[in-house]
């Protein structure tokens, strides 16, 4: 694995860690679904100068609507909304450590839906990562793992990770209409905008329903404005672009293990910004996750 590919797969976890920490910080200022909808609406506006040609010819969008709607729902309408909702009852560090189970779900989705048999080193790496997640869920008491009770945020984050695994495989294994001679010829910005248009429909619809059902009004302030700008640029545009390139080159299974760097970055940020200092079992979990990355990536 070359340095460029390593950087492509390391930058998204860094940006996503900031997304989790800042999302935790604005819990009392904006509802999860509203934050997700505003995030992608702002990202779409910033992406428009690079993708405006897409809107001049909507034929390609209509011909590929099923694939674009599914990726938009999973990657933008579903994953981020579930993560922000999870942060209402779970910590940023816990959420990102639970996300470390991604390799397990990535291998499972690949095997069940795409016929890709996992290699032994990938299975071993996934087991090490899952052991780290289990240690966090048990709060450092392995004997009590059988009695561990999930908070709602933990379960929501697990559901979010499953949706992200499926989204990543759909990026790596697109239908014939998105590749080869039948490809629409979109650049990266146009391809992301195509997903975003459909994802924003889901995100906006869910945010609207949330407001109708009585969500608290948005408490605007400098902190929330900065958070929106950050999540629209970093975790959305930059991270999605780098992740797409990295997944295409390394494959979803290998890329998933780099996603496990997110807890390391989130732990450092949480300690500095939220005062949520890591416990001993967080460090042990990160050690298991790092071992999983090493085992899965070695040749």
């Amino acid at each position: 694995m070359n340095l460029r590919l390593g950087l492509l797969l390391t930058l998204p976890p860094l940006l996503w860690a900031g997304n989790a920490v800042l999302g935790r910080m604005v819990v009392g200022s904006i509802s999860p679904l509203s934050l997700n909808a505003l995030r992608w609406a702002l990202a779409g506006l910033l992406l428009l100068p690079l993708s405006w040609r897409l809107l001049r010819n909507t034929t390609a969008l209509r011909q590929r609507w099923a694939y674009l709607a599914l990726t938009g729902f999973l990657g933008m309408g579903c994953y981020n909304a579930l993560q922000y909702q999870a942060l209402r009852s779970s910590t940023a560090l816990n959420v990102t450590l639970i996300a470390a189970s991604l390799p397990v779900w990535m291998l499972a989705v690949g095997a069940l839906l795409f016929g890709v048999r996992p290699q032994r080193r990938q299975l071993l790496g996934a087991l090490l990562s899952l052991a780290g997640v289990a240690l966090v869920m048990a709060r450092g008491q392995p004997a009590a793992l059988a009695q561990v009770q999930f908070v709602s945020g933990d379960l929501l984050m697990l559901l979010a990770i499953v949706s992200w695994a499926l989204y990543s495989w759909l990026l790596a294994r697109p239908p014939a209409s998105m590749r080869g001679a039948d490809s629409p010829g979109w650049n990266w910005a146009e391809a992301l905008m195509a997903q975003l248009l459909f994802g924003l429909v889901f995100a906006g619809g869910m945010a609207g329903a949330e407001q109708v059902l009585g969500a608290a009004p948005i408490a605007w302030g400098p902190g929330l404005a900065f958070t929106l700008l950050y999540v629209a640029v970093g975790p959305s545009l930059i991270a999605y672009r780098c992740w797409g390139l990295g997944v295409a080159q390394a494959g979803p299974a290998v890329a998933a293990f780099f996603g496990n760097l997110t807890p390391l970055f989130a732990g450092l940020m949480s300690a500095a910004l939220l005062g949520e200092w890591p416990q001993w079992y967080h460090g042990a979990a990160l050690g298991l996750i790092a071992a999983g990355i090493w085992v899965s990536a070695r040749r």
Side-chain angles (χ1 to χ4, degrees):
M1 181 175 293
N2 57 47
L3 178 60
R4 178 178 179 273
L5 181 55
L7 291 175
L8 284 174
L9 292 173
T10 301
L11 184 57
L14 175 61
L15 296 171
W16 289 332
N19 178 54
V21 173
L22 290 177
R24 174 73 170 173
M25 292 179 67
V26 299
V27 161
S29 301
I30 187 171
S31 65
L33 298 182
S34 295
L35 176 58
N36 187 48
L38 289 175
R39 164 188 177 169
W40 287 112
L42 181 55
L45 290 175
L46 294 173
L47 196 61
L48 191 58
L50 301 176
S51 59
W52 60 271
R53 292 188 306 168
L54 176 73
L55 303 179
R56 295 183 59 183
N57 181 11
T58 59
T59 302
L61 286 173
R62 294 196 301 269
Q63 292 174 342
R64 298 160 178 82
W65 72 269
Y67 171 78
L68 295 172
L70 183 57
T71 52
F73 171 73
L74 292 171
M76 299 164 187
C78 185
Y79 172 74
N80 295 286
L82 288 170
Q83 183 186 36
Y84 291 140
Q85 185 66 47
L87 287 167
R88 296 180 72 87
S89 57
S90 189
T91 67
L93 184 55
N94 257 35
V95 161
T96 53
L97 279 167
I98 292 169
S101 65
L102 177 61
V104 176
W105 303 110
M106 200 76 86
L107 294 175
V109 169
L112 293 174
L113 301 182
F114 295 89
V116 178
R117 296 182 59 183
Q119 301 176 10
R120 290 183 180 179
R121 60 183 174 81
Q122 293 175 333
L123 289 173
L124 178 57
L127 288 176
L128 288 170
S129 293
L130 191 59
V133 175
L135 187 61
V136 173
M137 303 300 284
R139 301 299 191 268
Q141 300 179 14
L145 191 59
Q147 289 79 36
V148 68
Q149 294 184 347
F150 292 90
V151 300
S152 60
D154 296 339
L155 295 173
L156 288 172
M157 195 60 210
L158 284 174
L159 183 58
I161 286 302
V162 173
S163 71
W164 185 257
L166 182 53
Y167 171 77
S168 295
W169 271 106
L170 288 171
L171 290 183
R173 296 293 181 87
S177 62
M178 294 295 296
R179 51 187 168 84
D182 296 326
S183 171
W186 294 331
N187 60 33
W188 73 269
E190 292 165 344
L192 183 57
M193 176 63 87
Q195 296 177 41
L196 192 154
L197 291 174
F198 287 90
L200 193 55
V201 171
F202 293 111
M206 290 187 289
E210 182 184 50
Q211 293 298 320
V212 171
L213 293 175
I218 299 174
W220 289 102
L224 179 56
F226 172 80
T227 296
L228 281 173
L229 182 61
Y230 173 82
V231 299
V233 176
S236 300
L237 301 183
I238 298 175
Y240 272 63
R241 170 58 171 163
C242 291
W243 184 256
L245 289 173
V247 167
Q249 296 180 42
V254 173
F257 289 93
F258 280 83
N260 291 344
L261 291 171
T262 304
L264 173 62
F265 298 135
L268 297 174
M269 293 179 185
S270 293
L273 299 177
L274 300 177
E276 295 174 349
W277 295 96
Q279 303 298 316
W280 71 266
Y281 54 83
H282 288 128
L286 288 173
L288 289 169
I289 291 168
I293 293 176
W294 180 79
V295 169
S296 64
R298 67 190 293 264
R299 298 295 182 183

